[in-house]
Amino acid sequence: RKEVEQDPGPFNVPEGATVAFNCTYSNSASQSFFWYRQDCRKEPKLLMSVYSSGNEDGRFTAQLNRASQYISLLIRDSKLSDSATYLCVVNGEGAAGNKLTFGGGTRVLVKP
Amino acid sequence: ETGVTQSPTHLIKTRGQQVTLRCSSQSGHNTVSWYQQALGQGPQFIFQYYREEENGRGNFPPRFSGLQFPNYSSELNVNALELDDSALYLCASTGQQNYGYTFGSGTRLTVV
């Protein structure tokens, strides 16, 4: 089982619609959580951190469920520019020290 | 404020050769980590350095090694290159891990 798992998609989303997707993680000792956005052939860029109480940044809402070990991202009023791969990232301490683990990414395509 | 810079941007090497990739951390960041991203996959954690000491390592063989310097810049060295080492190598830095990492634009390594 992968440490961080995501549905690879693609999620085909009409412009203006809402899309949501999850990520599950296996290490219950994980300490911090993030969503990154990666455009084709570019580096990942931090979208938002994910807090236990849930947090919102404009059209983006992130939730963390520690009991079930999953993280979610919801995008409201999708824009064409939201088309990208969204990477779930978990930061925790393992046997080899601190470790940042990425999921494989969820591809989102927003269409007119 | 300068971001994370990596050099070179592209590199072609022959199987069996050695390569050194370089990274300059964002100003004020004392933690740097390296990732390997194969096409269509999420980044895979190689290792992390904090104040010149390795404090985390992923599942990569010893021929992947690194250094962090007093100015927090960093190197990734790969010996005995294999064809499967062809990938995008990303460097990321942070001042506080709970606040996320800033990525450089990567070095695209091709091994032939």
Side-chain angles (χ1 to χ4, degrees):
Chain A
R1 181 188 172 189
K2 290 184 181 178
E3 293 185 61
V4 180
E5 293 202 68
Q6 295 183 249
D7 182 338
F11 285 64
N12 293 301
V13 185
E15 191 176 7
T18 296
V19 61
F21 41 88
N22 292 340
C23 155
T24 58
Y25 61 95
S26 60
N27 184 1
S28 59
S30 299
Q31 299 166 353
S32 50
F33 309 87
F34 309 94
W35 283 105
Y36 277 75
R37 170 198 168 121
Q38 187 171 29
D39 294 296
C40 189
R41 302 186 76 82
K42 299 282 190 178
E43 73 275 20
K45 292 188 177 177
L46 179 64
L47 181 65
M48 58 198 302
S49 301
V50 186
Y51 303 117
S52 297
S53 54
N55 48 299
E56 190 174 303
D57 183 0
R59 298 180 292 108
F60 297 84
T61 301
Q63 296 276 355
L64 167 63
N65 185 318
R66 284 191 183 269
S68 300
Q69 294 182 206
Y70 76 82
I71 306 150
S72 64
L73 182 66
L74 182 145
I75 307 173
R76 286 187 299 280
D77 187 22
S78 297
K79 311 291 184 191
L80 297 177
S81 58
D82 293 334
S83 296
T85 296
Y86 291 85
L87 297 163
C88 172
V89 185
V90 175
N91 191 15
E93 199 162 320
N98 290 304
K99 184 178 174 183
L100 201 66
T101 306
F102 282 76
T106 296
R107 194 165 165 224
V108 172
L109 297 172
V110 182
K111 300 188 174 180
Chain B
E1 178 181 272
T2 57
V4 178
T5 57
Q6 292 186 242
S7 62
T9 54
H10 295 82
L11 198 54
I12 299 175
K13 290 290 213 179
T14 303
R15 190 171 49 182
Q17 284 188 311
Q18 179 266 342
V19 68
T20 297
L21 309 182
R22 294 182 172 82
C23 170
S24 292
S25 304
Q26 183 165 319
S27 177
H29 285 185
N30 55 18
T31 301
V32 65
S33 51
W34 285 90
Y35 304 84
Q36 179 195 67
Q37 187 173 25
L39 202 60
Q41 298 183 23
Q44 298 295 310
F45 177 73
I46 303 175
F47 43 58
Q48 177 167 284
Y49 282 82
Y50 171 68
R51 294 186 176 180
E52 303 176 61
E53 297 277 338
E54 184 181 294
N55 78 335
R57 190 174 181 94
N59 296 324
F60 281 80
R63 59 190 185 84
F64 285 78
S65 63
L67 281 173
Q68 187 182 30
F69 301 100
N71 66 354
Y72 303 136
S73 65
S74 175
E75 285 183 356
L76 164 65
N77 299 290
V78 187
N79 293 324
L81 283 166
E82 301 176 0
L83 297 179
D84 285 349
D85 295 334
S86 296
L88 178 68
Y89 287 85
L90 294 160
C91 166
S93 70
T94 186
Q96 292 193 46
Q97 293 177 47
N98 288 339
Y99 293 157
Y101 288 69
T102 302
F103 281 80
S105 54
T107 293
R108 192 163 296 280
L109 173 65
T110 303
V111 182
V112 297

